[in-house]
Amino acid sequence: MEDNKICFECGAKNNYEFKDTIRVYEGDGYSFEILVNIPFCRKCGAPIYDEKLENEIAQKANKKIREQRKLITREEILEILESYNISQKFLSKLLGWGEITLTRYINGNYTPNITNSNRLKELKNPYIFQKLLSEYGEKHTEENERKLLKKAQDQLNNKIEMLSVSQGRIISVVNWFLAQSSEETPITHLALQKLLYFTQSWSMALIGSEIFHDDCQAWAHGAVYPKVYDLFKRFRYMPLPKVYRTAAFDEKELKVLDMVKQYYFDIYSAKALEKICHKEEPYQKAREGCSEGETCNTIIQKKDIASYYNHISRQYDIGFSNMINVKKYLNLILN
């Protein structure tokens, strides 16, 4: 290949030698040096620009910047694309970015800012990606867009379903409730935590066994399952996304789930569900010695939950044949 390096300082052509030099990079959240070997003009001593070489140096520098600022890596972006079976172009559309932005991030010669890096990192959470996909689908009804959405949704359904395998059956219960949500009846993170608690409680009382194995903790706003908190903390008080595939439950488990939906979720707000939890003995016992609003990570013991719910199921004659009696208990405890 013909060598054609020109010094822009003196105009000398192909009269150069390579020398080692130190380049210093400093900015918001990063500071480092890189040893580079670049051409210098023999005539005037000025550095000579080599596009291919400078692109390689830029990629090394941007990788270092990403590491020091904890920005998303090229490999992480590619993993997201593969995970949801989508193209760079379609992900750019979902995020509302120009097509070339994501390509530059992947090529490594352009560093994402903190905001864009965090947006991409969040997409590793399939529920955040589900929300993004649903919002995009509401605005785009073109046939070609629908095909891309269906392809991504099918892959996403598989990914959400697999969470039940990797993180336990509590995720199956989470997905069951999210599948019941709608625009008219959305579920928030606060409500979801309480629905999980009441489902577990009634399962122990009516079926005689846990519906999932996770322990909950007596946080300031009621019973909380930390694993689920980590999955949905990004949503804060926003509605959680609807999901479209759920695991199988047996007949008794479905009756408990339906009861909690019908007599808790369909009737009471998230704050009312929190109030119910606060008034119950297992929660109060776990928070003994804690003031209102104080941080507390004490586990609400399952034996205490089972004992309390077995008691109220007998007191209010609540069973599979007369679940409606749970309304009497809830009316009393709230009033």
Side-chain angles (χ1 to χ4, degrees):
M1 184 180 292
E2 183 182 354
D3 196 2
N4 192 25
K5 291 183 175 63
I6 300 174
C7 176
F8 292 108
E9 292 294 327
C10 68
K13 183 177 180 181
N14 297 330
N15 186 15
Y16 63 88
E17 61 181 338
F18 280 88
K19 294 180 182 179
D20 287 340
T21 185
I22 299 291
R23 287 190 181 175
V24 178
Y25 296 82
E26 291 184 342
D28 183 18
Y30 64 90
S31 176
F32 59 91
E33 297 176 348
I34 292 181
L35 176 66
V36 298
N37 187 252
I38 61 173
F40 284 83
C41 179
R42 284 196 180 99
K43 185 176 179 180
C44 70
I48 296 175
Y49 178 78
D50 182 302
E51 183 177 9
K52 181 181 178 182
L53 189 56
E54 290 299 327
N55 282 338
E56 291 174 357
I57 294 170
Q59 288 180 17
K60 290 179 181 178
N62 285 324
K63 184 177 181 180
K64 193 73 174 177
I65 291 171
R66 291 186 188 194
E67 288 173 358
Q68 290 199 358
R69 299 184 70 193
K70 295 181 171 57
L71 300 177
I72 193 165
T73 65
R74 171 182 184 273
E75 290 72 25
E76 287 176 303
I77 297 173
L78 292 174
E79 186 180 336
I80 290 169
L81 295 173
E82 182 181 359
S83 176
Y84 297 119
N85 194 23
I86 54 175
S87 65
Q88 296 176 34
K89 182 178 179 180
F90 188 55
L91 180 55
S92 295
K93 285 184 177 181
L94 290 175
L95 293 166
W97 295 351
E99 290 181 24
I100 197 170
T101 302
L102 199 58
T103 301
R104 284 175 171 172
Y105 293 164
I106 291 171
N107 288 343
N109 54 10
Y110 193 80
T111 304
N113 58 35
I114 290 289
T115 300
N116 285 358
S117 174
N118 288 342
R119 283 197 74 190
L120 286 167
K121 282 186 175 183
E122 286 174 348
L123 297 184
K124 295 177 184 179
N125 183 328
Y127 295 103
I128 291 179
F129 188 81
Q130 178 67 75
K131 185 171 180 63
L132 184 66
L133 204 64
S134 297
E135 289 173 346
Y136 186 85
E138 290 171 2
K139 301 173 185 175
H140 297 83
T141 57
E142 308 94 313
E143 184 178 353
N144 62 322
E145 295 295 315
R146 285 291 166 193
K147 289 179 180 178
L148 291 172
L149 282 164
K150 185 181 185 306
K151 181 182 175 184
Q153 186 64 64
D154 289 344
Q155 186 75 0
L156 179 58
N157 289 344
N158 293 333
K159 193 169 179 64
I160 289 176
E161 190 173 35
M162 286 305 295
L163 277 180
S164 300
V165 177
S166 62
Q167 299 203 35
R169 203 158 186 253
I170 189 171
I171 304 301
S172 297
V173 179
V174 165
N175 291 339
W176 188 90
F177 279 109
L178 294 185
Q180 317 307 312
S181 68
S182 66
E183 195 172 326
E184 294 75 26
T185 56
I187 293 179
T188 63
H189 187 191
L190 179 64
L192 176 64
Q193 289 282 1
K194 308 307 165 279
L195 296 173
L196 292 172
Y197 173 73
F198 296 131
T199 300
Q200 178 76 302
S201 301
W202 283 114
S203 177
M204 287 192 284
L206 300 179
I207 301 175
S209 61
E210 308 164 359
I211 196 168
F212 51 79
H213 297 306
D214 296 71
D215 285 313
C216 60
Q217 297 176 359
W219 289 20
H221 292 287
V224 169
Y225 293 88
K227 181 190 297 180
V228 177
Y229 175 82
D230 289 338
L231 266 179
F232 295 103
K233 61 184 177 183
R234 166 68 175 77
F235 289 91
R236 296 178 62 81
Y237 299 106
M238 297 184 295
L240 302 182
K242 182 179 180 66
V243 302
Y244 300 93
R245 189 180 299 170
T246 61
F249 294 94
D250 65 34
E251 184 180 358
K252 289 184 176 180
E253 289 171 337
L254 283 172
K255 285 183 177 180
V256 170
L257 287 163
D258 284 329
M259 181 191 79
V260 173
K261 178 184 181 299
Q262 182 178 356
Y263 297 120
Y264 288 81
F265 173 63
D266 288 350
I267 297 175
Y268 297 108
S269 68
K271 294 304 290 184
L273 297 178
E274 177 185 320
K275 185 177 179 181
I276 294 167
C277 182
H278 279 206
K279 285 178 170 286
E280 293 185 340
E281 290 177 11
Y283 176 81
Q284 293 175 353
K285 182 177 179 180
R287 284 189 65 87
E288 282 180 359
C290 295
S291 59
E292 185 177 351
E294 182 180 347
T295 299
C296 174
N297 296 322
T298 303
I299 291 174
I300 305 176
Q301 296 297 325
K302 288 175 184 173
K303 61 180 179 63
D304 294 331
I305 296 172
S307 175
Y308 178 78
Y309 271 80
N310 280 323
H311 170 71
I312 62 174
S313 65
R314 292 191 298 269
Q315 183 178 357
Y316 294 90
D317 191 26
I318 300 167
F320 283 115
S321 61
N322 48 5
M323 287 181 164
I324 194 171
N325 287 348
V326 75
K327 293 172 69 174
K328 298 178 183 178
Y329 165 70
L330 294 175
N331 286 334
L332 179 68
I333 200 168
L334 284 171
N335 295 309

